């Protein structure tokens, strides 16, 4: 029996985030309502967690805590994406906290606890950790989604999220149990070893059923068709900054776990093995999910009149694109895509949140009419983020999609790539529709000027720089991911 | 600066756009200042075309003034910032720079809202246009190809006429469908070529030398992946339906750039990619495309004939004229290819100028209906003379530019190895009669006869600024018609090499590459003399 492997550095980011979260919450209890103090503390905690994550960069794939937690480039990169998403969410929420009179400490603490769950999900090397992390995320996010207590939509959103989240967690847990039955382990590395050889007929059945359950559970979490039905309602009802958070960081974490379990643990080995038998099935299932998500998400988004619902469907469509990367088993492409998606989607939502005003009153696309030249500091960044979401070259959205499609083509999924690029064209229609309304339509009533807070400007600057830096000079980030990928590949061997 | 000439050319407009923004934000520049500044800034790339032309060596093989810097590096994902010009692209770069300057002049009074944004978009568009023509890396090419859509979309959508939103969306969706498939084809080609480079000359050379052999089915798919994007842009019947809307609804500057440069990207793409990369598939589908080209030529001319709207008439005449381009390209003879390039240049100038003519009229009368005019020759003599010259250039009157292009295409088609080459030639030639008919009839209805509307009696003639836009173009049309050699001489070399790439190595064996003169048979003694003098140097 190996040692317990207690190594606090290996969970450094999670520790820092937890401590910060508890601290912010305590401060709120003793001297409430200090937004700036709590905000800076939370942001500092996130930055520190980022430093702790970067400190793990050089360490090749090693495990800790009885192999429950893994340290590798994959984890570090996804952790950074999640932390960036959380940090930007703090900026985006700045004005919203005052408008809605929300106790800031409580809100920031919930964000931080959510982030703890997400980073742990990325670090998990054991199905039990994955489940634990998912529950941590969902508890924090349920509360966030229902934050506007007196608003029916928000409450409905939280309740739906809770019920369907619980439902999907049940699937996950059942799946984990079945997989344990099939392989006698919950550890992913161990499981990968077991399934790389042949298994008995009964075990195979258990394995298939367990993996199917797991697929359904993850399908819910990363909002893929046909497990997407909750998404638009939850995204619409939740306060906009929370929607921004929900659509980015937890999704990045969800995809990381998806990759970790399916692409890395059950890869198609090409030899007679349980993994190979399983892979032929999950690849087919994920292909179907990907195609359905891309087509449904994009086509239904066209019909939306509410910008938050439109972005919800767009989010489903993007999940479909990312699944192509999961199929290609190119985790670096997926990680890069999630980084880019986090930046551009948060940028979008930052503007939507600001424009929506108190109580999310102004969220119809028609209400963006005339924004174009009357407030160019809102309209041009929004146009840029939308164009990036649509994947126009010169923006990060293009580079991310290009990489994803390129590696999928190389991995033998040309038909998915062709569907993907065609669906991208469809998406141009609804993304640019917002641009049309902003610039080409005259408003019915006088367009008010919305004051811009400093936090908002900071979020804009970060997101815009991100969109153009990753769109025009992605080499640095590619190189980093490349190194990580190589290290991981060596480690797996 | 010299070794970065092309980068300067490409990015001077972007820098100009930024300067305009600074001028407004930091110095609070007024609209008139913005216009003047934009005009001055657009003269920078136009001025840079002078050293470009001077330094261009018509005898040299392959791309010139090449710049190459590693850009995105990632295993196998080797994208370079790789630009250069050759005979295929040289004139289009010049054309883009010229027409943007002309467009700014032409919209001096027509654009009175959001003046800053208009000029910023126009300059950004110029970067995209020039970028497409100089890019020698597939990835870079695709980026410019797409980037240019966004400013064009805004130009149509914000400053266009009544149905501008519909036209803008139609334009962008059509183009995106084409480019999406091209993207898939690019990725696929990249893998087939070994998954290491997007370098266009290298891939072309691999195909030519037989190192990259595609199986016929794949080649067909890739051919259409690229061709569809280009044929939509050209536009060839039946992919032309976006064009009348976009051209008619766009502001004058937008129409000038659309007709003048954007359509040419389609022809350029066919020349740069489809012919050399997929010679077998080109051979296979040449007949089909020639048929469609003939349809475009005749259909465009017939529809023009019945248009009551002057701008729509010119838009449909573009469909007809661009049909000649596709015909010339698919004939794949030297003359056909030369003719295609020449026709594109000539059409860019004459049609661009005709859109300005329409702009002049609609600024004065706020209508584009032909029936509203008549007898304009009396109040507007200079205008009428210019209109006359440009319209005749468009119908390919000898000694004007349109004639050279269409004549070369017709001869090139006649002498080609296409099945039914003669039938194609005859059919295309009949369309020249149609085009003469609709243009002359239009001239008659607009310029001559009695003045039927009282408002037209005292219309002011073209003013100094308008003359400044139209006269240079009219002069160019005449010069190109009388002295086509300076243009043809510079495209000749690239055409020869392209033809060799298409037709296999027959010509390469008969004469060593480095010593080939421009084809003396082409334009008689003048070209031969020039070739001699070049050799002596």
């Amino acid at each position: 029996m190996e040692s317990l492997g207690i190594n606090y550095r290996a969970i450094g980011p999670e520790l820092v985030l937890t401590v910060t979260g508890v601290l912010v919450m305590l401060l709120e209890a003793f001297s409430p309502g200090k937004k700036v103090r709590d905000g800076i503390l939370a942001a500092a905690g996130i930055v520190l967690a980022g430093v702790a994550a970067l400190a793990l960069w050089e360490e090749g794939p090693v495990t800790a805590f009885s192999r429950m937690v893994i340290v590798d480039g994959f984890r570090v990169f996804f952790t950074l994406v999640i932390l960036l998403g959380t940090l930007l969410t703090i900026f985006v929420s700045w004005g919203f906290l005052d408008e809605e009179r929300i106790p800031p400490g409580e809100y920031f603490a919930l964000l931080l606890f959510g982030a703890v769950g997400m980073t742990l999900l990325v670090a998990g090397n054991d199905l039990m950790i994955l489940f634990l992390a998912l529950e941590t995320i969902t508890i924090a996010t349920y509360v966030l989604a229902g934050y506007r207590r007196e608003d029916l939509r928000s409450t409905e959103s939280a309740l739906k999220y809770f019920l369907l989240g619980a439902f999907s967690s049940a699937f996950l847990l059942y799946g984990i149990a079945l997989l344990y039955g099939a392989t006698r382990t919950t550890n992913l590395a161990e499981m990968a070893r077991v399934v790389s050889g042949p298994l008995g007929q009964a075990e195979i059945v258990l394995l298939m059923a367990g993996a199917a359950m797991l697929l359904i559970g993850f399908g819910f979490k990363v909002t893929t068709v046909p497990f997407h039905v909750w998404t638009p309602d939850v995204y619409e009802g939740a306060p906009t900054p929370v929607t921004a958070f929900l659509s980015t960081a937890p999704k990045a974490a969800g995809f990381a776990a998806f990759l970790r379990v399916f692409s890395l643990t059950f890869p198609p080995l090409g030899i007679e093995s349980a993994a190979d038998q399983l892979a032929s099935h999950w690849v087919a299932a994920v292909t179907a999910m990907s195609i359905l998500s891309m087509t449904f998400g994009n086509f239904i988004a066209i019909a939306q009149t509410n910008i938050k619902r439109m972005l919800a469907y767009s989010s489903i469509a993007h999940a479909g694109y990312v699944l192509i990367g999961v199929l290609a088993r190119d985790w670096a492409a997926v990680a890069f895509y999630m980084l880019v998606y986090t930046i551009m989607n948060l940028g979008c939502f930052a503007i939507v949140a600001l424009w929506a005003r108190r109580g999310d009153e102004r969220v119809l696309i028609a209400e963006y009419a005339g924004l174009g030249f009357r407030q160019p500091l809102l309209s041009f960044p929004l146009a840029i983020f939308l164009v990036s979401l649509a994947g126009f070259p010169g923006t990060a959205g293009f580079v991310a999609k290009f990489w994803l499609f390129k590696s999928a083509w190389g991995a033998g999924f040309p038909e998915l790539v062709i569907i993907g690029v065609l669906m991208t064209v469809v998406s141009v229609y609804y993304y640019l529709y917002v641009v049309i309304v902003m610039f080409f339509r005259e408003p019915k009533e006088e367009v008010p000027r919305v004051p811009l807070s400093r936090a908002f400007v900071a979020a804009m600057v970060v997101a815009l720089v991100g969109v153009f830096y990753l769109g025009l000079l992605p080499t640095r980030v590619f190189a980093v991911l490349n190194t990580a990928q190589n290290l991981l590949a060596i480690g797996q061997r | 600066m010299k070794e970065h000439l092309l980068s300067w050319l490409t990015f001077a407009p972007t820098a100009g756009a930024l300067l305009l923004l600074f001028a407004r934000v930091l110095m609070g520049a007024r609209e008139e200042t913005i216009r003047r500044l934009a005009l001055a800034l657009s003269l920078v790339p136009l001025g840079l075309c002078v050293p470009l032309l001077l330094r261009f060596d018509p005898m040299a093989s392959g791309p010139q003034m090449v710049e190459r810097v590693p850009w995105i590096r990632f295993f196998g994902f080797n994208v370079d910032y790789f630009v250069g010009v050759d005979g295929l692209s040289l004139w289009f770069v010049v054309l883009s720079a010229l027409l943007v300057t002309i467009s700014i002049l032409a919209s001096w009074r027509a654009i009175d809202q959001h003046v800053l944004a208009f000029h910023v978009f126009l300059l950004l568009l110029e970067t995209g246009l020039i970028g497409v023509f100089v890019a020698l890396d597939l990835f870079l090419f695709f980026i410019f190809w797409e980037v240019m859509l966004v400013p064009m979309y805004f130009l149509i959508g914000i400053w266009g006429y009544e149905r501008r939103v519909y036209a803008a969306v139609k334009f962008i969706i059509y183009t995106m469908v084409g480019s999406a498939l091209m993207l898939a084809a690019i990725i696929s080609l990249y893998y087939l070529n070994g998954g290491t480079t997007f370098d266009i000359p290298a891939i072309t050379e691999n195909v030519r030398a037989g190192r990259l052999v595609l199986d016929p089915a794949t080649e067909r798919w890739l051919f259409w992946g690229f061709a569809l994007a280009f044929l939509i842009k050209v536009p060839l019947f039946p992919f032309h339906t976006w064009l009348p809307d976009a051209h008619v609804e766009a502001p004058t500057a937008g129409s000038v750039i659309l007709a003048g440069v954007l359509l040419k990207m389609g022809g350029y793409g066919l020349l740069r990619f489809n012919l050399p990369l997929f010679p077998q598939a080109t051979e296979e589908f040449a007949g089909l495309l020639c048929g469609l080209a003939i349809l475009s030529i005749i259909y465009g001319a017939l529809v023009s004939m019945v248009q009551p709207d002057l701008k729509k008439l010119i838009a449909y005449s573009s469909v007809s004229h661009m049909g000649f381009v596709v015909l010339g390209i698919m004939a794949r003879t030297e003359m056909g290819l030369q003719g295609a390039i020449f026709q594109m240049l000539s059409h860019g100038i004459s049609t661009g100028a005709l859109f300005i003519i329409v702009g002049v009229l609609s600024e004065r009368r706020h209508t584009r209906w032909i029936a509203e005019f008549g007898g304009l020759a009396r109040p507007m003599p200079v205008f009428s003379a210019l209109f006359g010259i440009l319209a005749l250039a468009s119908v390919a009157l000898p000694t004007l530019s349109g004639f050279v292009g269409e004549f070369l295409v017709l001869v090139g088609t006649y002498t080609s190895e296409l099945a039914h080459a003669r039938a194609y030639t005859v059919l295309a030639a009949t369309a020249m009669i149609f085009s003469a008919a609709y243009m002359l009839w239009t001239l008659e209805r607009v310029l001559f006869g009695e003045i039927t509307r009282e408002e037209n009696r005292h219309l002011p003639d073209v003013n100094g600024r308008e003359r400044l836009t139209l006269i240079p173009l009219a002069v160019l049309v005449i010069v190109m018609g009388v002295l086509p050699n300076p243009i043809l001489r510079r495209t000749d070399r690239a055409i020869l090499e392209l033809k060799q790439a298409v037709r296999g190595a027959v010509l390469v064996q008969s004469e060593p590459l480095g010593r080939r003169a421009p084809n003396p048979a082409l334009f008689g003694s003048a070209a031969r003399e020039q070739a001699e003098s070049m050799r002596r140097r």
Side-chain angles (χ1 to χ4, degrees):
Chain A
M1 197 68 194
E2 62 195 296
S3 73
L4 283 176
I6 292 176
N7 172 3
Y8 291 109
R9 272 191 65 218
I11 52 165
E14 289 78 12
L15 281 180
V16 173
L17 287 174
T18 314
V19 170
T20 320
V22 172
L23 208 62
V24 171
M25 201 135 92
L26 283 176
L27 280 173
E28 174 74 27
F30 290 109
S31 64
K34 300 260 173 33
K35 184 177 79 169
V36 177
R37 178 200 62 196
D38 293 351
I40 289 178
L41 188 62
I46 290 170
V47 172
L48 208 62
V51 173
L54 277 176
L56 300 174
W57 183 255
E58 288 300 314
E59 305 192 11
V62 291
T63 54
F65 294 98
S66 299
R67 302 200 292 162
M68 289 285 216
V69 168
I70 190 163
V71 179
D72 55 14
F74 176 99
R75 172 201 172 181
V76 174
F77 195 86
F78 269 106
T79 303
L80 292 175
V81 173
I82 291 160
L83 293 176
L84 179 69
T86 317
L87 187 65
L88 283 174
T89 307
I90 290 181
F91 289 147
V92 173
S93 318
W94 209 251
F96 153 80
L97 292 175
D98 294 334
E99 281 170 5
E100 304 282 340
R101 298 190 215 312
I102 289 171
E106 197 181 302
Y107 179 84
F108 291 140
L110 281 168
L111 279 182
L112 288 169
F113 292 142
V116 172
M118 294 167 207
T119 50
L120 197 61
L121 185 62
V122 173
N125 193 35
D126 191 293
L127 288 173
M128 293 322 292
I129 292 284
L130 294 191
F131 184 72
L132 186 72
L134 270 174
E135 286 304 283
T136 316
I137 301 171
T138 42
I139 288 167
T141 46
Y142 294 147
V143 184
L144 286 171
Y147 232 116
R148 272 203 320 264
R149 267 159 248 154
E150 66 281 16
D151 185 346
L152 267 180
R153 281 180 303 168
S154 182
T155 317
E156 182 198 333
S157 158
L159 194 65
K160 261 192 188 147
Y161 196 26
F162 174 71
L163 286 176
L164 283 161
F167 197 53
S168 68
S169 295
F171 270 104
L172 272 174
L173 204 55
Y174 199 17
I176 292 171
L178 291 177
L179 284 181
Y180 179 76
T183 60
R184 313 276 187 279
T185 178
T186 54
N187 185 288
L188 288 175
E190 183 62 21
M191 198 176 281
R193 199 187 56 73
V194 174
V195 297
S196 67
L199 282 177
Q201 192 53 44
E203 278 88 357
I204 288 284
V205 172
L206 282 181
L207 187 71
M208 296 286 180
M213 296 284 177
L214 225 50
L215 197 63
I216 293 171
F218 280 130
F220 270 107
K221 301 293 179 198
V222 296
T223 71
T224 51
V225 179
F227 313 111
H228 68 290
V229 189
W230 59 275
T231 324
D233 292 339
V234 172
Y235 281 19
E236 183 193 356
T240 311
V242 175
T243 312
F245 186 61
L246 289 183
S247 67
T248 50
K251 252 185 159 173
F255 271 114
F258 203 133
L259 277 168
R260 183 85 80 190
V261 173
F262 283 93
S263 298
L264 301 182
T265 311
F266 305 130
L269 293 170
I271 50 166
E272 188 70 23
S273 65
D276 214 45
Q277 269 175 290
L278 178 56
S280 62
H281 286 93
W282 77 254
V283 165
V286 173
T287 306
M289 281 159 75
S290 167
I291 294 174
L292 287 174
S293 303
M294 287 190 287
T295 44
F296 274 73
N298 280 314
F299 278 115
I300 300 177
I302 292 179
Q304 300 307 313
T305 51
N306 179 315
I307 195 163
K308 284 170 80 181
R309 286 187 83 86
M310 186 273 269
L311 287 171
Y313 281 106
S314 120
S315 170
I316 293 168
H318 281 273
Y321 304 137
V322 176
L323 283 184
I324 300 182
V326 173
L327 285 169
R329 299 193 301 117
D330 186 348
W331 70 260
V334 172
F336 187 77
Y337 200 95
M338 288 321 295
L339 170 67
V340 169
Y341 182 71
T342 299
I343 292 173
M344 58 196 185
N345 216 36
L346 269 166
C348 260
F349 272 115
I351 296 162
V352 173
L354 195 68
W355 189 243
R357 291 184 305 188
R358 187 164 187 281
D360 275 354
E361 283 172 359
R362 202 159 44 191
V363 288
L364 295 183
I365 297 175
E367 288 165 327
Y368 282 71
L371 184 63
F373 286 104
R374 285 180 183 76
Q375 199 149 10
L377 288 181
L378 286 187
S379 62
F380 278 95
L382 183 55
I384 290 169
F385 295 131
L386 289 169
V387 158
S388 177
L389 279 168
F392 270 84
T395 60
F398 173 71
V399 176
K401 261 193 199 127
F402 190 87
W403 186 4
L404 212 58
F405 290 159
K406 178 188 95 74
S407 80
W409 193 290
F413 296 96
E415 61 290 331
L416 279 180
V417 174
I418 288 174
I419 295 174
V421 291
L422 287 178
M423 286 305 124
T424 305
V425 179
V426 175
S427 78
V428 171
Y429 183 82
Y430 60 82
Y431 289 128
L432 285 189
Y433 180 67
V434 180
V435 177
I436 289 175
V437 172
M438 282 198 298
F439 287 94
F440 308 165
R441 292 265 162 84
E442 283 307 309
K444 290 202 183 69
E445 52 199 74
E446 191 53 35
V447 177
R449 281 191 71 83
V450 184
L452 310 178
S453 70
R454 261 186 225 160
F456 172 81
V457 174
M460 275 305 96
V461 170
V462 172
L464 282 175
V465 168
V467 162
F468 284 115
Y469 178 72
L470 296 174
L472 295 172
L473 302 164
T475 310
R476 278 293 266 292
V477 181
F478 280 4
V480 163
L481 276 166
N482 190 11
T483 322
Q485 209 167 24
N486 288 342
L487 282 175
L488 196 67
I490 294 164
Q492 276 175 338
R493 236 179 276 141
Chain B
M1 186 191 117
K2 276 194 168 176
E3 61 275 22
H4 296 302
L5 183 62
L6 288 178
S7 295
W8 279 97
L9 246 170
T10 313
F11 293 105
T14 311
L18 291 177
L19 264 173
L20 280 185
L21 283 176
F22 284 132
R24 164 60 62 81
V25 175
L26 300 179
M27 287 140 61
R30 304 284 291 274
E31 294 187 343
E32 202 59 26
T33 325
I34 294 281
R35 285 197 185 98
R36 291 198 183 139
L37 194 58
L39 180 64
L41 288 166
S42 78
L43 288 174
V44 175
L46 188 58
L48 287 172
C49 287
V50 176
L52 176 75
L53 286 173
L54 289 177
R55 293 183 55 218
F56 185 81
D57 177 5
M59 296 289 106
S61 163
Q64 305 180 29
M65 287 168 257
V66 168
E67 290 169 47
R68 189 168 200 167
V69 187
W71 177 25
I72 301 173
R73 278 280 178 272
F74 180 58
F75 51 154
F77 201 101
N78 296 327
V79 180
D80 285 345
Y81 173 75
F82 182 23
V83 294
V85 285
D86 62 5
L88 296 184
S89 52
L90 174 76
W91 289 108
F92 294 116
V93 174
V94 180
L95 184 70
S96 311
L98 173 71
L99 287 182
V100 169
T101 304
I102 298 278
S103 300
I104 291 177
L105 270 174
S107 7
W108 207 267
R109 286 283 161 263
I111 302 297
D112 50 7
Q113 287 200 322
H114 314 305
V115 174
L116 172 73
F118 177 81
H119 290 101
V120 167
F121 282 130
L122 204 55
L123 289 172
L124 289 178
L125 180 62
E126 187 176 3
T127 290
L129 300 174
I130 297 180
V132 164
F133 293 120
V134 297
L136 289 178
D137 183 286
L138 265 174
F139 191 89
L140 187 67
F141 169 82
F142 188 77
I143 286 189
F144 281 124
W145 176 271
E146 292 277 282
V147 155
M148 149 227 101
L149 289 182
V150 179
M152 198 66 226
Y153 171 75
F154 279 102
L155 285 180
I156 300 175
I158 297 178
W159 293 277
Y161 294 93
E162 301 81 31
R163 287 167 66 242
R164 56 180 185 270
V165 176
Y166 171 74
V169 173
K170 200 167 174 182
F171 164 72
I172 209 155
I173 295 287
Y174 267 65
T175 323
M176 284 294 286
V177 171
S179 42
L181 293 173
M182 179 162 74
L183 180 65
I186 287 177
I187 296 178
S188 164
L189 183 65
Y190 164 85
Y191 275 109
L192 291 168
N193 188 46
T196 49
T197 181
F198 289 100
D199 181 328
I200 298 168
I203 299 175
T204 313
E205 181 56 27
N206 281 350
V207 173
R208 198 186 68 78
R211 281 192 295 272
L212 171 59
V213 182
L214 305 170
D215 72 88
T218 319
E219 191 176 337
R220 265 178 231 138
W221 277 109
L222 292 180
F223 175 85
W224 282 109
F226 278 93
L228 205 60
F230 301 140
L231 295 179
I232 289 174
K233 261 287 191 324
V234 165
L236 196 69
F237 182 91
F239 311 113
H240 67 285
T241 50
W242 65 270
L243 177 131
D245 289 304
H247 277 51
V248 170
E249 299 305 324
T252 302
S255 310
V256 171
I257 303 283
L258 268 173
V261 191
L262 252 76
L263 307 190
K264 277 67 204 176
M265 290 178 172
Y268 171 75
L270 288 176
L271 287 171
R272 172 74 72 206
F273 299 101
N274 283 65
L275 257 51
L277 291 179
F278 317 114
Q280 303 302 327
T282 312
E283 181 70 45
E284 190 178 339
F285 295 115
L288 173 65
L289 290 179
C290 283
L292 289 176
I294 298 285
L295 261 177
S296 299
I297 294 171
I298 295 175
Y299 169 86
L302 288 178
V303 177
S304 291
M305 215 179 274
V306 296
Q307 288 307 318
D309 178 336
L310 189 54
K311 204 168 184 184
K312 212 160 198 168
L313 184 147
I314 295 168
Y316 273 107
S317 82
S318 286
V319 176
S320 178
H321 292 308
M322 292 305 287
F324 276 98
V325 173
V326 176
L327 185 63
I329 291 173
M330 285 302 141
R332 286 163 298 149
T333 50
E334 253 163 70
M335 287 217 201
L337 295 168
Q338 284 276 27
I341 291 187
F342 201 91
Q343 169 76 354
M344 285 197 263
L345 295 171
S346 155
H347 173 261
I349 292 172
S350 62
T351 306
L354 283 174
F355 277 119
I356 297 176
I357 293 273
V358 179
V360 167
L361 282 182
S362 70
E363 267 175 54
R364 283 168 173 66
R365 285 289 319 279
H366 302 287
T367 178
R368 303 182 307 250
W369 291 83
I370 297 173
E372 289 285 316
F373 302 103
L376 291 187
R378 223 162 302 155
M380 306 173 77
V382 180
F383 169 83
S384 304
L386 289 168
F387 191 2
I389 294 173
L390 293 164
L392 291 174
S394 167
V395 294
L397 190 78
T399 72
L400 294 177
S401 63
F403 174 72
V404 181
E406 295 193 0
F407 181 75
L408 282 173
V409 168
L410 289 177
V411 177
T413 311
Y414 192 83
T415 54
S416 72
E417 289 159 22
L418 288 167
H420 321 301
R422 291 179 190 186
Y424 293 139
T425 318
V426 171
L427 283 170
T430 56
M432 290 175 89
I433 302 167
F434 292 133
S435 78
Y438 67 75
M439 261 310 175
L440 295 177
W441 190 34
T442 308
L443 281 182
E444 187 201 316
R445 283 181 293 167
V446 174
L447 301 180
F448 306 121
E450 288 302 305
I451 295 177
T452 48
R453 309 270 158 167
E454 212 38 49
E455 306 94 300
N456 292 340
R457 199 170 292 280
H458 300 292
L459 282 185
D461 204 347
V462 277
N463 60 26
R465 172 185 60 81
E466 286 160 346
R467 288 180 198 196
L468 208 54
T469 59
L470 287 170
I471 292 177
L473 297 180
V475 169
L476 265 177
V477 158
I478 298 171
V479 170
M480 282 169 69
V482 180
L483 294 170
N485 257 335
I487 291 177
L488 294 174
R489 194 163 62 83
R490 286 177 174 79
T491 55
D492 196 38
R493 176 84 205 188
I495 295 284
L496 271 175
E497 282 172 17
L498 176 62
K499 226 195 101 190
Q500 286 164 8
V502 176
R503 287 289 162 86
V506 186
L507 282 166
V508 190
Q509 285 159 1
S510 67
E511 206 170 345
L513 249 178
R515 295 182 53 86
R516 259 192 91 86
N519 183 10
L522 195 55
F523 258 82
S525 54
R528 205 170 297 133
E529 270 166 35
Q530 274 159 357
E532 288 302 323
S533 70
M534 289 309 262
R535 212 170 280 164
R536 258 176 265 129
R537 244 183 273 159

